[in-house]
């Protein structure tokens, strides 16, 4: 089994559970909780709890949030490689409604100051990774360098292009072996990088051949996994790189779950996918996606982001 390196954000999440998401001008009552989050940290915790030796490269402030990250990483056996920032540790304000849906506002803080030079200094650790996983809550040039260093060393690079409004470039995408947008991120990337328009709400119902053709335009040489929430996932490979699968594109059904909070479900999927890939690169790619799907579904049955990640390992194979 080879290690997973996650490069990304840590946030202190401030969460209000309320009946409905607030409309502009509304004042609502809700139940408050706080806990660890940030797409990067959530994914690192998921990878670790799915059985991978995990390192997390991030930037933290010299404050209570930074101390929280250090303590929690240590509790989960995650090697924390943190750039000390003069900015405060990242924060997120999250509303969760009665259906488990959320709205999030982030204050990037230290996450926005994760420098390429710091990632460059982590090259020896990155070179030992089997899988490098990154998202877009960190500066795009830093993420691009991390992906480039990992690929140069022979690791599989997974880019979760979240959130949808984050900056991305063609060069950044080109460093991803596997790209994992949700339907909103997929629509945003298609508009930005390919000039194709599709409504996010229409992605799940679009026929497979059309989705595959769009995925091929977006990432001609890599694999695209579109996560579709309660509908499952769509996988599209380059014709000459099926990663052990029999078909270039296919759908995987969602796993049933009694969802109470979908915050971090995408992060659960990505962390579990990276852990599964790192544990057995020989298995068919679809098996890794099925495991990630099960893992993400289980994460929605508990409240919170990083703390909702289940301890669940893929079958050895
Ligand atoms: O993906 C969920 C995460 O997005 C939250 O934990 C929040 O911190 C934001 O980064």
């Amino acid at each position: 089994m080879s290690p997973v390196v996650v490069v990304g954000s840590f946030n202190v999440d401030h969460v209000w559970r309320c009946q409905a998401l607030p409309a502009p001008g509304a004042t609502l009552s809700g139940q408050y909780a706080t806990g660890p989050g940030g797409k990067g940290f959530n994914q690192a915790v998921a990878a670790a709890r799915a059985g991978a030796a995990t390192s997390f490269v991030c930037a933290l402030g010299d404050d209570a949030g930074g101390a929280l990250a250090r303590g929690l990483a240590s509790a989960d056996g995650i090697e924390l490689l943190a750039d000390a920032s003069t900015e405060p540790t990242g924060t997120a304000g999250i509303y969760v409604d009665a259906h488990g849906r959320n709205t999030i506002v982030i204050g990037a803080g230290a996450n926005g100051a994760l420098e390429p030079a710091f990632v460059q200094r982590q090259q020896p650790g990155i070179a030992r990774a089997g899988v490098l996983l990154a998202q877009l809550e960190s500066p795009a040039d830093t993420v691009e360098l991390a992906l480039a260093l990992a690929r140069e060393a022979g690791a599989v690079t997974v880019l979760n292009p979240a959130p949808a409004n984050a900056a991305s470039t063609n060069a950044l995408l080109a460093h991803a072996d596997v790209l994992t947008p949700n339907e909103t991120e997929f629509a945003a990337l298609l508009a930005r990088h390919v000039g194709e328009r599709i409504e996010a709400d229409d992605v799940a119902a679009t026929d497979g051949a059309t989705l595959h053709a769009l995925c091929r335009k977006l990432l001609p040489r890599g694999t695209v996994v579109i996560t579709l929430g309660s509908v499952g996932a769509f996988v599209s490979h380059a014709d000459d790189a099926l990663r052990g699968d029999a078909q270039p594109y296919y759908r995987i059904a969602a796993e049933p779950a009694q969802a109470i909070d979908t915050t971090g479900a995408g992060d659960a999927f990505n962390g579990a996918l990276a852990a599964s890939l790192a544990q057995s690169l020989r298995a068919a790619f679809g098996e890794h996606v099925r495991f990630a799907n099960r893992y993400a579904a289980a994460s929605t049955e508990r409240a919170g982001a990083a703390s909702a990640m289940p301890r669940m390992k893929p079958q050895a194979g």
Side-chain angles (χ1 to χ4, degrees), residues 157-212:
T157 57
V158 181
L159 176 63
N160 173 222
N165 61 0
S168 58
T169 61
N170 289 337
L172 172 64
L173 295 194
H175 284 104
D177 296 318
V178 180
L179 188 69
T180 59
N182 65 18
E183 56 270 68
T184 309
E185 293 146 8
F186 182 64
L189 290 176
L190 279 178
R192 195 179 307 143
H193 295 282
V194 180
E196 294 268 3
R197 303 242 156 238
I198 184 170
E199 291 298 322
D201 287 347
D202 294 339
V203 172
T206 299
D207 69 276
T210 303
L211 274 187
H212 179 55

Side-chain angles (χ1 to χ4, degrees), residues 131 158 178 180 225 268-278 285 288-292:
V131 179
V158 181
V178 180
T180 59
V225 183
F269 182 93
N270 279 279
L273 180 68
S276 186
L277 283 165
F285 190 81
H288 300 303
V289 178
R290 280 188 190 85
F291 170 70

Side-chain angles (χ1 to χ4, degrees), residues 232-247:
F234 177 82
V235 177
S236 164
H237 296 297
D239 284 335
D240 59 352
L242 300 189
R243 299 185 182 279
D245 283 336
Q247 295 162 352

